[in-house]
Amino acid sequence: MSDETSNSTTRTPRSAPSDAAVASFAVPTWMHRVAGWQERHPRGAIRLGNFDTRMAAEAIENVAIEAPIYIAGLARSGTTMLLELLAAHPDVATHKYRDFPPVFTPWLWDRWLARVPEKDESATERAHGDGIAVTSHSPEAFEEVLWMAFFEHSHDPAYSNVLTRETSNPAFEKFYREHIRKILAIRDGKRYVAKGNYNLMRLAYLQSMFADARFVLPVRDPVWHIASLMKQQTLFEAGEKAHPRAIDHLRRVGHFEFGLDRRPINTGDPEAIERIEALWREGAEVEGWARYWAMVYGALADQLGADSQLAGATQVVRYEPLCTDSKTVLADFYRHCDLDVDDATLESASERLHLPDYYRPAFAADEIATIRRFTGPVAERFGYDRERLGERNPVRGAPNF
């Protein structure tokens, strides 16, 4: 291990999750079995998806995919907030919690759900324990299930997860386009929106499929971001130990950001991946996350700096101005996505946003120094002041790629 490594991270307090938060990791038996079959038989799931498309042929015949919108960032960067804001727009169609497990057959599943009496449900806080309450109709990220079926090594840290304009997978591309058209038809939408953290390393490939796609990439002060990531890691470990089925469930939905099966995104730097995984194994969480943050967002900044076409279709949304200067940032956000909103909608959306008040970073001074040392140069590329990282508003200027 590098002699730069700091073991002080093991001293960071990690408060125990509540019993209610841990209980939320329980997975219903029917979901466990259906998702398990789907995971074991990806070719069969794809064949069912193709049958689903034939059944939907008439309904999707005239459905066009127009400027799909992709939200991508490391977990806890604000992706869910942005997804919920877009999902509330009348022109937008997204996946919903109710779409899993049978993600491959959304048309037939929707027909079935339409014939089943719908139970009354109250919004409950999601497993992340972050104050976001959801129902079966809430937007969620599920298209990762499709990517995993067509790209064998999507979440194997030993392989680069970068997809480029030169990437070619005709079977996936056809299936994926048809899937999006079905979601648009089911939801009566004009614009498809997807949240997918792993799409950070697929942006150029997505743009090669959809030349008019729009990308929204949230980024967050790494001190606060890493504090949130570590809080989630503690929660997911506890939830999975108490409910082992949750490990299978998170693997099946393509959620490897946290927990006992945590896997980093491979940005094409195998040595960095090995070091990060070693730090996590040794309990050096702060430095492991700091190096990971710097690796992922550094690779992203490199992509945007080298590809003017991609940069032109991308908006970087910094978490802090999103929460503190919401109306200004959201006006630019909706404009970038080419979605019309009135003043009342903008005002209502901005009122929902605020900096988190349910936790604060509990880092020692040397741990903050470690985060600044490893993340500072990359954070500066996104317009942050490295010496002010960890303060409430460390933004210095515009991102510079």
Side-chain angles (χ1 to χ4, degrees), residues 66-70 191 206-207 210-215 313-314 336:
E66 175 187 347
I69 303 168
Y70 290 92
R191 302 285 300 282
L206 285 166
Q207 194 174 49
F210 309 108
D212 58 354
R214 311 303 291 171
F215 302 101
T314 297
H336 173 75

Side-chain angles (χ1 to χ4, degrees), residues 198-248:
Y198 301 103
N199 285 338
L200 279 173
M201 294 299 117
R202 304 167 181 161
L203 302 176
Y205 180 49
L206 285 166
Q207 194 174 49
S208 73
M209 283 192 280
F210 309 108
D212 58 354
R214 311 303 291 171
F215 302 101
V216 180
L217 312 179
V219 62
R220 185 177 184 182
D221 171 358
V223 173
W224 281 80
H225 197 169
I226 290 168
S228 183
L229 290 164
M230 290 177 61
K231 180 176 180 288
Q232 292 301 305
Q233 179 63 20
T234 300
L235 169 59
F236 275 59
E237 287 178 358
E240 290 172 354
K241 287 175 182 176
H243 302 281
R245 281 183 181 178
I247 302 173
D248 296 327

Side-chain angles (χ1 to χ4, degrees), residues 232-312:
Q232 292 301 305
Q233 179 63 20
T234 300
L235 169 59
F236 275 59
E237 287 178 358
E240 290 172 354
K241 287 175 182 176
H243 302 281
R245 281 183 181 178
I247 302 173
D248 296 327
H249 176 76
L250 291 167
R251 184 182 66 251
R252 290 162 182 169
V253 298
H255 190 346
F256 298 96
E257 291 95 339
F258 310 111
L260 301 175
D261 192 19
R262 173 173 51 175
R263 305 181 195 180
I265 299 170
N266 187 326
T267 65
D269 187 341
E271 292 183 2
I273 289 292
E274 290 176 7
R275 179 173 292 176
I276 289 162
E277 291 186 309
L279 288 164
W280 283 343
R281 283 194 301 271
E282 295 164 11
E285 289 284 306
V286 172
E287 183 175 340
W289 281 115
R291 287 182 179 271
Y292 186 50
W293 191 100
M295 180 189 71
V296 171
Y297 279 105
L300 175 61
D302 288 345
Q303 284 187 75
L304 297 176
D307 190 333
S308 59
Q309 182 182 354
L310 181 59

Side-chain angles (χ1 to χ4, degrees), residues 67 69-70 191 212-217 310-317 329-339:
I69 303 168
Y70 290 92
R191 302 285 300 282
D212 58 354
R214 311 303 291 171
F215 302 101
V216 180
L217 312 179
L310 181 59
T314 297
Q315 182 185 49
V316 172
V317 176
V329 174
L330 288 177
D332 289 340
F333 166 65
Y334 286 115
R335 189 179 305 114
H336 173 75
C337 295
D338 196 22
L339 290 171

